[in-house]
């Protein structure tokens, strides 16, 4: 497996999941209709251009997410300038899109543009020759220089960039100040143990303590990995496993499992948690029905445009059992757009993606969706009306002292699937942490035979 360096997360507005926007499956062509033909004139000669359809698979299906509207605006702007080109949107939530892409990849029918996650998750697709290198397109219009320094490394193999990320985020805890006040909680928790006590206090007051969308298994994994980042005393646990220096039977891992179970058993999460997808889980928080929500900073835009805007604050994930540094975060180099190597319209697809990514920062900024972008943003967030919560999130970027990336961006797909299933099961029934460790080690050994 290719090794990647941990990139620093830089200051406000320079940095969305996405693993980010999720929701119900939806193929959306209503906003992307285009005239069936176009003509360009040069003197008395008329040249008709070929009608082209480009399929754009994306993970922005939620109409309440600012990026959904931004996506449609850029697409419509492009179509108005290129009336012979129709952009067909295939909008899916994250887990649906991953599953669909696997099926498409197996039959070598990858959409013209699709979504992949960095490092280990995208490597099998690259190895199979399914994606086109984007180096040439990045050199057009200065697009490469718009990305944060070093960020494209996560999407690079053999000196070829194969995908362009939409974000670079950190994991934070959002909290509803009004609900904390109703429960008599004066301060945000500084330790995991205080967080569990706050959960019990909120529960006793009839307030749902936390929300999660664990039908999409990566959500629980993302939370668990932040706990492991603390119990390990810092980043690098999974790399230590890969290097043969640790196993999943290590106390850092079993302590993390036990701590997550303590949170679950305290009643932190809503009933039927594994039937809530990402979008449904997040909406509990966005509609004021839950007091806390742990998620990547890409969620900021959707929260800012929801009914709880003005009532929400953020805090760093706390220490666990006295271990860890709150200035070390779960780092989330974003989901990224890749182009099919077998696209029938490769040049036009690259041209459109260039246009889309060139306009992405400006349009995301305009719709209050520019917190945690992969590209540099030219704008004054405060003057543009970004909320105090958004400014607080941007300020957290300034204190980042490193961290880890997600399990499924680090380990191969087989090992990751074993992990995701094992962690999801903890939300259904309590298990001995030692047994969970054995499940992980078995999945790792089975998928990493030499």
């Amino acid at each position: 497996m290719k090794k990647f360096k941990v990139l620093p997360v830089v200051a406000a507005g320079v940095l969305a999941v996405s693993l980010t926007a999720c929701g119900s499956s939806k193929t959306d062509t209503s906003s992307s209709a285009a005239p069936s033909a176009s003509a360009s004139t040069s003197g008395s000669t008329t040249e008709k251009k070929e009608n082209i359809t480009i399929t754009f698979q994306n993970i922005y299906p939620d109409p309440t997410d600012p990026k959904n509207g931004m996506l449609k605006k850029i697409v419509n702007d492009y179509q108005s300038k290129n009336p012979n080109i129709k952009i067909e949107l295939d909008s899916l939530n994250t887990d649906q899109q991953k599953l669909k892409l696997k099926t498409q990849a197996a039959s070598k029918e990858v959409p013209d543009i699709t979504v992949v996650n960095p490092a280990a998750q995208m490597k099998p697709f690259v190895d199979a020759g399914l994606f086109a290198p984007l180096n040439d397109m990045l050199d057009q219009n200065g697009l490469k220089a718009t990305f944060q320094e070093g960020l494209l490394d996560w999407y690079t193999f053999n000196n070829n960039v194969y995908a362009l990320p939409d974000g670079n985020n950190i994991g934070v805890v959002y909290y509803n100040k009004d609900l904390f006040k109703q429960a008599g909680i004066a301060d945000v928790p500084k330790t995991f143990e205080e967080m569990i006590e706050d959960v019990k206090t909120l529960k006793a007051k009839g307030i749902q303590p936390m929300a999660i969308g664990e039908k999409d298994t990566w959500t629980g994994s993302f939370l668990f990995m932040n706990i492991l980042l603390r119990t390990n005393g810092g980043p690098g646990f999974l790399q230590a496993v890969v290097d043969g220096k640790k196993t999943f039977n290590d106390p850092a891992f079993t302590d993390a499992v036990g701590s997550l179970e303590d949170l679950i058993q305290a009643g932190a999460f809503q009933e039927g948690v594994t039937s809530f997808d990402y979008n449904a889980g997040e909406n509990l928080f966005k509609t004021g029905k839950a007091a806390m929500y742990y998620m990547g900073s890409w969620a900021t835009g959707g929260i800012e445009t929801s009914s709880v805007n003005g009532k929400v604050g953020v805090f760093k994930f706390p220490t666990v059992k006295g271990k860890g540094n709150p200035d070390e975060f779960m780092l989330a180099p974003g989901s990224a757009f890749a182009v099919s190597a077998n696209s029938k319209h490769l040049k036009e697809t690259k041209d459109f993606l260039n246009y889309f990514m060139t306009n992405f920062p400006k349009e995301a900024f305009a719709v209050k969706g520019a917190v945690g972008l992969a590209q540099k943003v030219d704008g004054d967030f405060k003057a543009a009306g970004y909320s105090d919560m958004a400014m607080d999130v941007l300020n957290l970027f300034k204190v980042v002292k490193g961290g880890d990336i997600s399990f499924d961006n680090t380990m191969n797909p087989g090992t990751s699937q074993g992990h995701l299933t094992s962690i999801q099961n903890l939300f259904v029934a309590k298990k001995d942490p030692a047994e969970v460790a054995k499940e992980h080690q078995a999945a790792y050994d089975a998928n990493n035979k030499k």
Side-chain angles (χ1 to χ4, degrees):
M1 183 175 66
K2 180 178 179 179
K3 295 182 181 179
F4 295 87
K5 62 183 179 181
V6 175
L7 301 173
V9 186
V10 297
V14 184
L15 298 175
V17 259
S18 220
L19 259 200
T20 57
C22 298
S24 60
S25 172
K26 179 180 177 184
T27 298
D28 184 352
T29 57
S30 62
S31 69
S32 56
S36 60
S38 72
S40 62
T41 59
S42 177
S44 60
T45 303
T46 299
E47 178 189 349
K48 289 188 176 180
K49 294 183 178 179
E50 176 189 5
N51 292 330
I52 290 172
T53 297
I54 295 172
T55 303
F56 186 8
Q57 196 171 83
N58 66 88
I59 52 172
Y60 304 146
D62 182 3
T64 68
D65 189 315
K67 289 188 175 63
N68 177 275
M70 175 213 70
L71 165 74
K72 292 176 180 176
K73 181 180 186 303
I74 299 177
V75 165
N76 286 335
D77 287 349
Y78 185 81
Q79 289 179 144
S80 68
K81 294 178 172 70
N82 301 273
N84 66 307
I85 297 179
K86 176 183 178 181
I87 309 298
E88 185 176 85
L89 300 179
D90 184 19
S91 303
L92 306 161
N93 76 31
T94 303
D95 275 14
Q96 289 170 332
Q97 186 272 330
K98 286 181 180 179
L99 182 61
K100 186 172 184 177
L101 179 59
K102 285 181 181 178
T103 302
Q104 291 169 325
S107 59
K108 298 190 182 299
E109 295 178 349
V110 174
D112 296 295
I113 300 173
T114 189
V115 177
V116 291
N117 282 292
Q121 279 200 59
M122 66 181 288
K123 188 176 186 297
F125 299 103
V126 173
D127 290 346
L130 295 175
F131 296 154
L134 302 178
N135 301 41
D136 55 344
M137 186 264 276
L138 274 166
D139 290 335
Q140 298 173 13
N141 309 326
L143 179 59
K144 186 174 184 179
T146 69
F147 288 91
Q148 297 168 48
E149 184 178 355
L151 182 58
L152 294 176
D153 291 352
W154 297 102
Y155 313 87
T156 299
F157 298 84
N158 298 321
N159 298 316
N160 287 314
V161 179
Y162 285 96
L164 305 183
D166 61 0
N168 190 23
N169 289 272
I170 54 175
V172 300
V173 185
Y174 299 90
Y175 74 103
N176 187 310
K177 296 177 181 179
D178 284 0
L179 295 182
F180 266 48
K181 186 175 180 180
Q182 287 178 33
I185 301 172
D187 298 309
V188 298
K190 298 295 191 300
T191 69
F192 191 75
E193 294 71 31
E194 288 177 0
M195 179 182 279
I196 290 177
E197 288 305 310
D198 288 344
V199 162
K200 293 176 180 177
T201 299
L202 288 159
K203 194 83 172 174
K205 294 289 185 179
I207 299 169
Q208 177 59 49
M210 300 185 78
I212 196 170
E214 184 51 17
K215 183 178 181 181
D216 291 344
T217 52
W218 64 267
T219 60
S221 170
F222 196 53
L223 170 62
F224 170 76
M225 286 299 295
N226 208 146
I227 298 173
L228 179 59
L229 176 62
R230 297 290 182 262
T231 58
N232 191 53
F237 179 85
L238 294 184
Q239 190 59 55
V241 171
V242 171
D243 293 341
K245 297 176 181 177
K246 288 188 177 183
T247 70
F248 286 100
N249 301 311
D250 189 272
F253 188 84
T254 53
D255 282 352
V257 173
S259 294
L260 175 60
E261 291 196 293
D262 289 344
L263 188 64
I264 295 169
Q265 296 303 314
F269 304 104
Q270 73 271 19
E271 290 292 325
V273 65
T274 57
S275 66
F276 286 74
D277 65 13
Y278 171 94
N279 191 45
E282 184 167 289
N283 278 339
L284 288 177
F285 184 79
K286 288 162 63 174
T287 54
K289 296 175 182 175
M292 287 182 282
Y293 181 49
Y294 174 77
M295 189 44 62
S297 51
W298 59 76
T300 302
I303 294 171
E304 189 164 29
T305 56
S306 74
S307 62
V308 295
N309 185 39
K311 303 175 183 178
V312 177
V314 293
F315 61 90
K316 306 170 188 176
F317 199 86
T319 60
V320 179
K321 295 186 175 181
K323 297 179 180 179
N325 180 355
D327 288 337
E328 292 173 340
F329 291 75
M330 282 304 297
L331 308 175
S335 56
F337 301 108
V339 171
S340 171
N342 298 318
S343 172
K344 295 178 181 178
H345 307 289
L346 187 58
K347 179 183 183 302
E348 291 83 359
T349 299
K350 286 186 176 183
D351 286 346
F352 165 69
L353 185 57
N354 179 281
Y355 181 89
F356 183 83
M357 298 307 300
T358 299
N359 286 276
F360 193 97
K362 178 184 71 174
E363 297 299 341
F365 181 77
V367 297
K368 306 284 195 301
V371 174
L373 287 196
Q375 293 163 278
K376 301 166 188 175
V377 178
D378 183 16
D380 185 328
F381 284 77
K382 191 66 176 177
Y386 277 69
S387 67
D388 289 342
M389 172 199 65
M391 300 307 296
D392 288 344
V393 173
L394 289 167
N395 285 330
L396 287 182
F397 282 113
K398 299 176 182 178
V399 302
V400 174
K401 298 294 189 296
D404 273 329
I405 61 173
S406 68
F407 193 106
D408 54 355
N409 284 340
T410 305
M411 293 291 185
N412 62 42
T415 305
S416 296
Q417 188 54 57
H419 158 76
L420 293 169
T421 300
S422 182
I423 295 301
Q424 185 187 51
N425 288 339
L426 300 181
F427 288 86
V428 178
K430 187 175 182 180
K431 294 191 69 171
D432 182 351
E435 287 301 312
V436 178
K438 287 180 181 178
E439 291 174 355
H440 278 73
Q441 192 62 45
Y444 179 81
D445 291 341
N447 289 282
N448 293 274
K449 293 177 180 178
K450 294 182 181 179

